[in-house]
Amino acid sequence: MGKNTQADQVIRYVYIHVPFCLRKCSYCSFYSVNFSLEACGRFVKYLIKEINLFKQKYCIKPKTIYFGGGTPSLLTAEQINSIVSQFDISIVEEITLECNPVNINDEFVNELKTTKINRISLGAQSFIDKELRILSRLHKADKIESGYKILRDHGYNNISFDLIYGLPNQTKKDVEYSLAEMIRLDPEHISTYCLSLGKEVPLFSHNDQIPNDERVSDFYYLIRNKLISTGYEHYEISNFAKEGFISNHNICYWNDKYYLGFGPSAAGYLNNYYSECPDEIGMYRRINDEEKIIYRYNNSANFETYYKMLDENKIMRDKSILNEDNHEKEFIFLGLRKVSGLDLEEFENKFETDFTKKYERVIHKFRNLLEINDETIKLKLEAYFISNEIFSEFM
Ligand code: SF4
């Protein structure tokens, strides 16, 4: 195991789950309930309590804060400010708010300007009204453009769009149309999602209308090639950014960084070396004699259980230890998702083993789909869409 430094013991990445939506979309498996002003107000109070319980034990100085959901754009500016003000944001680089286009109007954005939000992730999904209806989105295509323009007019210069492909009965022309509309609007970042339906979601009944793998793979490469040719950098299997606009928050997951998740259903990733706060003079008391233990926690996806945990002044109920073997597999899986690939030296430092020797068989099996040199191993272009097949061999 590599050695921890003092700087490692400060938590730099924060995710906040806002579990309210105006209406449930037909394809969505994320945890959210119907919005009400009262329920949201209660949630924010508990969320602030959760943050402060963490602060008693951990040192948190975020570089990024990400409001995901759910629909974080249902929060008022006052609520956003009261949440953000719980943190020391003296070194913060990026605070993202996921926004539903349906919430964006002049009044909303005027209010938003009173907060520290400096990056917007807009849940556009498609520019075809028929597709938006199938997805049960509340917005129509014209609302994306009008919302986007309002954000631009108010000076937001770091905006990301979500684009879903692989929808029931979707054609190549449909994909090209939504993509062209997105490119026309010229956001700084685009996240693409291949539709995948859980059995529990209403749209699952249309599962048989989803284009086959070959067609969906064609959609993926069509999107990728078009975005690259229009000046976007492809930096992770599903993510594209203009120069200087890679998502600092999302990259923390792929770079195996530790993070905290707040709110119902949020997950965090930590090790036991973090469990000491700086003393009065700002020095960390090390607990190096202890073996390093890496773990995840998952907050309950149920309001009452989440509130009960906080009423009992507890945090991180469902902790699960990630043993070295599982950590190694995750590191490979996440590292190979990056277009820059997995850093072999970093791997060796972390796991004290030579990657190319240990995984010689898999590397040989996929030699036509992997690119390897002294420093990195990465997926070749033709492997992107079948990456899960390759990852499973490493597992
Ligand atoms: S708005 Fe987002 S989180 Fe809410 S139901 Fe739709 S997809 Fe899910």
Side-chain angles (χ1 to χ4, degrees), residues 69-337:
T71 309
S73 49
L74 290 169
L75 295 173
T76 63
E78 198 184 336
Q79 287 170 327
I80 293 171
N81 283 331
S82 66
I83 296 165
V84 171
S85 67
Q86 305 305 313
F87 299 102
D88 172 351
I89 55 162
S90 54
I91 60 156
V92 89
E93 294 163 359
E94 182 184 286
I95 309 184
T96 302
L97 187 77
E98 284 184 356
C99 289
N100 189 325
V102 84
N103 296 127
I104 300 179
N105 53 38
D106 278 311
E107 195 190 340
F108 171 83
V109 184
N110 271 328
E111 287 284 307
L112 199 62
K113 287 301 281 182
T114 68
T115 72
K116 301 280 184 196
I117 300 293
N118 59 8
R119 181 173 184 272
I120 303 289
S121 171
L122 199 57
Q125 318 304 354
S126 161
F127 280 79
I128 299 175
D129 286 342
K130 198 175 110 206
E131 290 186 349
L132 291 167
R133 267 199 311 280
I134 292 170
L135 296 171
S136 318
R137 300 291 305 187
L138 281 167
H139 65 276
K140 289 191 174 171
D142 58 358
K143 187 74 185 142
I144 305 169
E145 180 159 359
S146 61
Y148 178 78
K149 286 194 167 143
I150 295 171
L151 288 162
R152 286 292 197 223
D153 288 346
H154 285 77
Y156 286 95
N157 61 3
N158 189 356
I159 300 180
S160 177
F161 278 6
D162 289 346
L163 172 69
I164 291 191
Y165 62 96
L167 303 182
N169 300 317
Q170 193 173 41
T171 64
K172 184 174 168 224
K173 244 179 153 178
D174 297 332
V175 178
E176 280 171 339
Y177 180 79
S178 284
L179 189 59
E181 285 294 275
M182 258 184 206
I183 290 170
R184 178 175 66 80
L185 294 178
D186 201 26
E188 284 68 31
H189 187 280
I190 293 177
S191 294
T192 66
Y193 298 88
C194 178
L195 184 72
S196 145
L197 298 170
K199 285 199 173 110
E200 73 290 355
V201 302
L203 199 58
F204 189 76
S205 59
H206 293 251
N207 208 25
D208 56 346
Q209 293 159 16
I210 286 187
N212 64 29
D213 283 355
E214 204 179 309
R215 284 182 66 76
V216 179
S217 164
D218 286 347
F219 295 167
Y220 172 78
Y221 287 107
L222 183 160
I223 294 167
R224 180 210 172 258
N225 295 342
K226 186 74 189 165
L227 289 177
I228 287 181
S229 69
T230 34
Y232 287 88
E233 180 194 348
H234 186 196
Y235 71 98
E236 190 269 350
I237 287 180
S238 305
N239 284 278
F240 302 82
K242 293 269 181 74
E243 196 182 340
F245 290 97
I246 283 175
S247 163
N248 291 331
H249 184 82
N250 289 345
I251 203 83
C252 91
Y253 303 130
W254 304 310
N255 280 343
D256 195 38
K257 301 288 185 201
Y258 297 103
Y259 55 87
L260 293 182
F262 298 102
S265 83
Y269 177 55
L270 274 180
N271 68 50
N272 55 331
Y273 286 5
Y274 279 96
S275 59
E276 294 283 311
C277 261
D279 62 21
E280 318 77 62
I281 55 164
M283 296 299 290
Y284 292 89
R285 284 170 284 132
R286 298 288 298 269
I287 44 171
N288 274 354
D289 329 342
E290 283 184 32
E291 190 193 340
K292 185 172 176 183
I293 298 170
I294 296 175
Y295 58 91
R296 294 189 181 285
Y297 67 87
N298 272 89
N299 280 348
S300 170
N302 172 296
F303 269 102
E304 291 320 311
T305 317
Y306 170 72
Y307 289 161
K308 188 165 177 285
M309 169 183 83
L310 295 170
D311 281 337
E312 291 167 357
N313 295 321
K314 291 184 178 149
I315 48 174
M316 300 196 290
R317 258 282 160 79
D318 291 317
K319 271 169 55 173
S320 54
I321 291 174
L322 203 65
N323 66 30
E324 178 127 349
D325 193 41
N326 289 339
H327 181 211
E328 185 177 313
K329 308 291 184 218
E330 281 202 10
F331 185 81
I332 296 171
F333 162 76
L334 294 167
L336 285 177
R337 287 195 63 92

Side-chain angles (χ1 to χ4, degrees), residues 20-25 27-32 69-71 100 125 135-137:
F20 296 100
C21 291
L22 291 172
R23 183 175 80 191
K24 198 77 193 163
C25 300
Y27 61 100
C28 177
S29 303
F30 291 119
Y31 178 63
S32 66
T71 309
N100 189 325
Q125 318 304 354
L135 296 171
S136 318
R137 300 291 305 187

